[in-house]
Amino acid sequence: MFTDEYFMKMALREAESAFEKDEVPIGCVVVSNDRVIARSHNLTETLNDVTAHAEMQAITSAANFLGGKYLVNCTLYVTLEPCVMCSGALSWAQISKVVIGARDEQRGFINKNLSLHPKTEIVTGIMENECSSIVKEFFKSKR
Ligand SMILES: [Zn+2]
């Protein structure tokens, strides 16, 4: 069964890969017609690039897969609420739906009163505990 939890689990697996590389553990997948067309995780340390958030890479790779810049009929599953930069990129991509695991009250776009493309549906709180605890665990290990 292709549920939101099913794809969020795949995004979480990406976050785990980031954790193993000592990257802030955030992961995402892009799904089109029940098929994963892009998957990525945060690589800001590896690439030495502050824009290398999971979502930015997923947008580029999904667009390459589709052969068009707009992510029509695509859903992004991301373990942590996108930041302002990524929400801007998602808005440009006109993605159909964004499913968020954990909220990011400080750096997420929702509290900044930003919205995505008017047609973009937003769902929050899918596997929230798992998605937030991996980030907490990461920062605890840094102390
Ligand atoms: Zn971001």
Side-chain angles (χ1 to χ4, degrees):
M1 261 294 282
F2 296 117
T3 60
D4 282 345
E5 283 76 14
Y6 176 85
F7 290 117
M8 190 58 81
K9 254 177 223 158
M10 297 177 90
L12 253 175
R13 244 173 267 148
E14 287 296 313
E16 284 159 10
S17 301
F19 199 127
E20 283 157 21
K21 292 176 186 158
D22 216 20
E23 296 276 1
V24 177
I26 300 164
C28 67
V29 295
V30 177
V31 175
S32 173
N33 297 316
D34 287 338
R35 200 168 145 209
V36 174
I37 61 164
R39 62 179 80 221
S40 59
H41 51 265
N42 178 39
L43 283 174
T44 51
E45 298 298 326
T46 307
L47 299 178
N48 202 22
D49 179 356
V50 293
T51 71
H53 288 183
E55 302 94 311
M56 302 296 277
Q57 300 171 67
I59 290 166
T60 304
S61 108
N64 283 340
F65 179 89
L66 294 170
K69 63 187 170 187
Y70 295 125
L71 304 185
V72 182
N73 295 321
C74 289
T75 301
L76 174 85
Y77 291 85
V78 61
T79 57
L80 193 71
E81 180 184 336
C83 71
V84 170
M85 169 181 72
C86 293
S87 72
L90 289 165
S91 175
W92 285 116
Q94 301 186 11
I95 194 155
S96 306
K97 188 174 171 186
V98 175
V99 180
I100 296 165
R103 292 284 312 276
D104 183 350
E105 304 285 343
Q106 267 90 48
R107 307 192 88 168
F109 73 97
I110 295 173
N111 282 357
K112 313 276 187 216
N113 280 325
L114 293 171
S115 52
L116 300 178
H117 191 267
K119 285 183 187 158
T120 304
E121 184 189 342
I122 299 171
V123 176
T124 59
I126 303 297
M127 297 183 66
E128 193 171 357
N129 289 338
E130 292 89 336
C131 291
S132 73
S133 64
I134 189 171
V135 176
K136 281 182 197 142
E137 206 183 303
F138 178 81
F139 286 110
K140 216 193 289 169
S141 73
K142 293 274 141 197
R143 257 179 246 139

